[in-house]
């Protein structure tokens, strides 16, 4: 449900979600404003199982309506992936009943406020979806909410820097909300500080479904995902990972690339290797906004050891 946006135009077109294994897809194929979805948040084209349909209505509300309709009609057990367009650009003013902000003037002049209003509208609509589920169904459903990337550079607030935002491997680009609710959460309201990656959702969903994730990946494929269920049962347990990794590269695809930015972090320290610039090394405990590159001065013995270990680990992740 909602935005697909997975190179589908060149890989199966409007049927790409169905060819990827989903039983249904209702939503935009790209971000609102980009072909073939086009339009605005209030007038756009959406894909209904392989056919483009024009919609006049607020995209966040329309996606919620589709989710309520489909989940109500789908027998259990089901897995639903719900991807809202909001708060992605184009900046806009959501319907007034969905947010509490005073939005005056062009959105570009107060991008952060307009983006927060879009998030509040999304929150309202997500609440409407959960309220619409049968209480018994909701009680046995595991819900995972997460962001796909950080805030857009035009909407950042200090001390986050615009050049440390979406599209970068800095924390402002890759450290996103991850909230889990449902019957498998032993202590609702607790917080887990373990190192996790979005790819861990693959193993988590398989685990909930009683499926061995290693059994459903192609032969010879390295399985990087780890199930999050141990953390839901015991949020204070030690991290199952020593480090997490992320990268961004251009152009999209297998390469060759003109730029390739990579980052690896353990519990406290983070190493960045970016195309065309010196390496960066940060203490995220003392410097969560990555403003002081420790490689600009001498490292302590502990810092030097961790820097070397992260560099060695990063070396094992080089593409062929």
């Amino acid at each position: 449900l909602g935005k697909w946006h997975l190179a589908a135009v060149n890989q199966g077109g409007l049927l790409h979600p169905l060819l990827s294994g989903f039983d249904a897809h209702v939503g935009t194929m790209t971000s609102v404003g980009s072909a073939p979805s086009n339009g605005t948040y209030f007038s756009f084209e959406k894909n209904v199982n392989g056919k483009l349909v024009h919609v006049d209505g607020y995209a966040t509300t329309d996606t919620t309506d589709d989710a309520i309709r489909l989940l109500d009609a789908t027998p259990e057990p089901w897995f639903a992936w719900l991807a809202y367009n909001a708060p992605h650009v184009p900046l806009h003013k959501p319907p007034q009943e969905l947010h509490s902000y005073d939005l005056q003037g062009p959105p570009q002049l107060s991008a952060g406020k307009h983006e927060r209003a879009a998030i509040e509208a999304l929150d309202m609509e997500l609440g409407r979806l959960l309220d619409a589920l049968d209480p018994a169904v909701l009680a046995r459903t595991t819900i995972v909410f997460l962001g796909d990337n950080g805030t857009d550079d035009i909407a950042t607030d200090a001390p986050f820097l615009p050049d440390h935002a979406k599209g970068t491997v800095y924390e402002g680009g890759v450290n996103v909300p991850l909230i889990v609710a449902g019957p498998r959460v032993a202590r609702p309201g607790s917080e887990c500080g373990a190192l996790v990656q979005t790819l861990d959702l693959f193993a988590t969903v398989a685990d909930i479904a009683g499926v061995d994730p290693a059994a459903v990946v192609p032969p010879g494929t390295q399985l990087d995902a780890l199930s999050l269920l141990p953390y839901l049962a015991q949020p204070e347990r030690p991290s199952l990972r020593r480090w997490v990794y992320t990268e961004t590269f251009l152009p999209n695809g297998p390469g060759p690339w003109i730029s390739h930015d990579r980052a690896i972090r353990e519990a406290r320290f983070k190493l960045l290797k970016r195309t065309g610039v010196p390496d960066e090394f940060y203490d995220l405990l003392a410097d969560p906004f990555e403003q002081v590159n420790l490689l600009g001065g001498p490292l302590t013995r502990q810092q030097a050891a961790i820097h070397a270990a992260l560099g060695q680990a990063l070396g094992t992740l080089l593409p062929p």
Side-chain angles (χ1 to χ4, degrees):
L1 292 147
K3 182 169 69 169
W4 182 247
H5 211 183
L6 292 174
V9 174
N10 300 319
Q11 299 177 9
L14 299 178
L15 294 177
H16 191 225
L18 306 183
L19 295 173
S20 299
F22 285 93
D23 296 311
H25 172 246
V26 181
T28 59
M29 290 301 288
T30 56
S31 297
V32 167
S34 301
S37 304
N38 296 321
T40 69
Y41 267 84
F42 298 90
S43 180
F44 58 94
E45 306 292 323
K46 73 176 177 181
N47 178 23
V48 180
N49 296 320
K51 181 181 179 181
L52 281 182
V53 175
H54 183 77
V55 177
D56 286 317
Y58 185 51
T60 304
T61 298
D62 184 74
T63 298
T64 304
D65 290 341
D66 288 334
I68 292 172
R69 192 160 44 244
L70 262 176
L71 295 184
D72 185 58
T74 303
E76 295 182 82
W78 45 255
F79 167 78
W81 180 269
L82 173 59
Y84 286 98
N85 272 271
H88 198 283
V89 293
L91 296 170
H92 62 280
K93 298 178 182 180
Q96 188 59 54
E97 67 272 15
L98 294 179
H99 71 92
S100 58
Y101 288 86
D102 181 17
L103 302 178
Q104 302 293 333
Q108 291 75 15
L109 296 182
S110 55
K113 183 183 290 187
H114 279 78
E115 185 158 298
R116 287 190 289 274
I119 293 173
E120 185 178 2
L122 184 155
D123 183 62
M124 292 284 287
E125 289 294 347
L126 186 58
R128 182 167 69 91
L129 169 61
L130 299 181
D131 287 343
L133 289 178
D134 182 285
V137 173
L138 183 61
R140 55 179 175 262
T141 300
T142 298
I143 300 166
V144 181
F145 175 90
L146 75 157
D148 64 342
N149 48 245
T151 302
D152 196 86
D153 57 356
I154 62 173
T156 53
D157 287 325
F160 277 112
L161 302 173
D163 59 358
H164 283 200
K166 173 183 175 178
T168 76
V169 293
Y170 291 103
E171 292 298 280
V174 299
N175 190 352
V176 299
L178 173 61
I179 304 169
V180 184
R184 295 178 179 272
V185 178
R187 296 203 302 276
S190 58
E191 184 172 341
C192 177
L195 295 170
V196 303
Q197 248 284 7
T198 50
L199 59 85
D200 292 332
L201 296 182
F202 171 69
T204 304
V205 171
D207 203 355
I208 291 173
V211 175
D212 178 8
V216 293
V217 298
T221 299
Q222 177 176 317
L223 182 65
D224 294 318
L226 297 175
S227 174
L228 302 180
L229 293 193
Y231 300 128
L232 305 188
Q234 189 182 359
E236 71 280 1
R237 68 157 297 143
S239 178
L240 297 170
R241 295 185 179 279
R242 293 180 57 193
W243 44 261
V244 288
Y245 168 78
T246 191
E247 64 182 341
T248 180
F249 44 81
L250 289 173
N252 193 20
W257 301 312
I258 59 174
S259 69
H260 188 195
D261 294 355
R262 310 187 312 136
I264 186 170
R265 66 160 293 186
E266 45 95 70
R268 178 172 179 176
F269 293 95
K270 179 177 175 181
L271 173 63
L272 287 75
K273 288 184 176 291
R274 300 166 53 222
T275 301
V277 298
D279 289 357
E280 299 165 71
F281 185 55
Y282 296 102
D283 180 346
L284 297 179
L285 182 61
D287 179 28
F289 299 101
E290 298 162 299
Q291 296 176 343
V292 180
N293 184 2
L294 296 176
L295 297 181
L299 301 179
T300 67
R301 180 176 298 180
Q302 177 201 27
Q303 292 170 347
I306 295 175
H307 176 263
L310 289 177
Q312 183 177 12
L314 200 59
T316 68
L317 297 170
L318 283 172

